[in-house]
Amino acid sequence: VLDVWSILSQKYPQWVLRFVGDGPDKEHLEEYVRQRQLKNVYFEGFQNPVEYYKRASILVMTSDFEGFPLVLAECMSFGVIPCVYNSFAAVHDIIKDGQNGLIVEKVNGCFSAEEMADRLRGVMLNENKLDLMARNAIETSQDYSVDSVYKQWEKTLKEI
């Protein structure tokens, strides 16, 4: 994420990168920010994410592998556009690339911070697209609501 931010931050000084959560790499990441003098990067630590979802526009996830990352459905329910690497199968169940989020493909067999930055630029520069994708994300998130999942289970159990 910081490699992506180092590409974007100077051209988009009105944007902010916030890390919500904690982990063993925090000090290393903070040092990376200091050494590269990256601006507008904040390490928030472990927090209730709801207030961050309410203020965010984009959630960037660079996981190599996930099962079904609940964070994607959660952020989308607030109109936050997810941007993720195409590194796990469930990403295609949740995100429709370019419609309700961004799925970044490998370049020459590797995931690329430059490719992710390019994809993000296309949304960051276009407020209309950002708004449309946010509305689509909210709509998609309804598929994962308690009511929707309950109805799916109810239908399945009746069929059995």
Side-chain angles (χ1 to χ4, degrees), residues 24-38:
D25 293 330
K26 182 179 178 184
E27 288 181 20
H28 172 72
L29 297 173
E30 289 172 329
E31 182 61 25
Y32 182 103
V33 169
R34 277 191 294 279
Q35 287 180 355
R36 287 164 183 77
Q37 299 179 341
L38 297 177

Side-chain angles (χ1 to χ4, degrees), residues 56-76:
S57 298
I58 299 170
L59 177 125
V60 176
M61 192 167 116
T62 58
S63 300
D64 287 332
F65 177 78
E66 294 282 342
F68 182 93
L70 190 55
V71 68
L72 295 183
E74 286 177 353
C75 80
M76 292 170 81

Side-chain angles (χ1 to χ4, degrees), residues 76-77 79-82 100 132-141:
M76 292 170 81
S77 73
V80 178
I81 300 164
N100 62 4
L132 176 61
M133 290 177 73
R135 284 193 305 267
N136 290 341
I138 291 170
E139 186 176 316
T140 298
S141 74

Side-chain angles (χ1 to χ4, degrees), residues 41-104:
V41 178
Y42 302 95
F43 293 88
E44 305 290 339
F46 183 76
Q47 303 287 331
N48 180 334
V50 171
E51 291 305 314
Y52 293 93
Y53 290 145
K54 289 178 181 177
R55 296 189 320 234
S57 298
I58 299 170
L59 177 125
V60 176
M61 192 167 116
T62 58
S63 300
D64 287 332
F65 177 78
E66 294 282 342
F68 182 93
L70 190 55
V71 68
L72 295 183
E74 286 177 353
C75 80
M76 292 170 81
S77 73
F78 287 89
V80 178
I81 300 164
C83 179
V84 302
Y85 286 130
N86 186 9
S87 59
F88 52 97
V91 73
H92 295 281
D93 295 331
I94 305 166
I95 299 172
K96 304 299 177 235
D97 187 41
Q99 295 176 25
N100 62 4
L102 301 171
I103 301 172
V104 180

Side-chain angles (χ1 to χ4, degrees), residues 143-154:
D143 295 342
Y144 305 99
S145 71
V146 171
D147 289 340
S148 179
V149 172
Y150 175 82
K151 287 176 185 173
Q152 290 172 19
W153 273 108
E154 186 176 48

Side-chain angles (χ1 to χ4, degrees), residues 109-152:
C110 299
F111 290 114
S112 161
E114 304 234 347
E115 180 67 17
M116 183 173 271
D118 285 344
R119 296 297 310 280
L120 286 167
R121 245 185 237 114
V123 176
M124 293 167 75
L125 288 173
N126 187 335
E127 194 169 321
N128 290 331
K129 186 172 186 171
L130 190 71
D131 290 341
L132 176 61
M133 290 177 73
R135 284 193 305 267
N136 290 341
I138 291 170
E139 186 176 316
T140 298
S141 74
Q142 297 307 305
D143 295 342
Y144 305 99
S145 71
V146 171
D147 289 340
S148 179
V149 172
Y150 175 82
K151 287 176 185 173
Q152 290 172 19

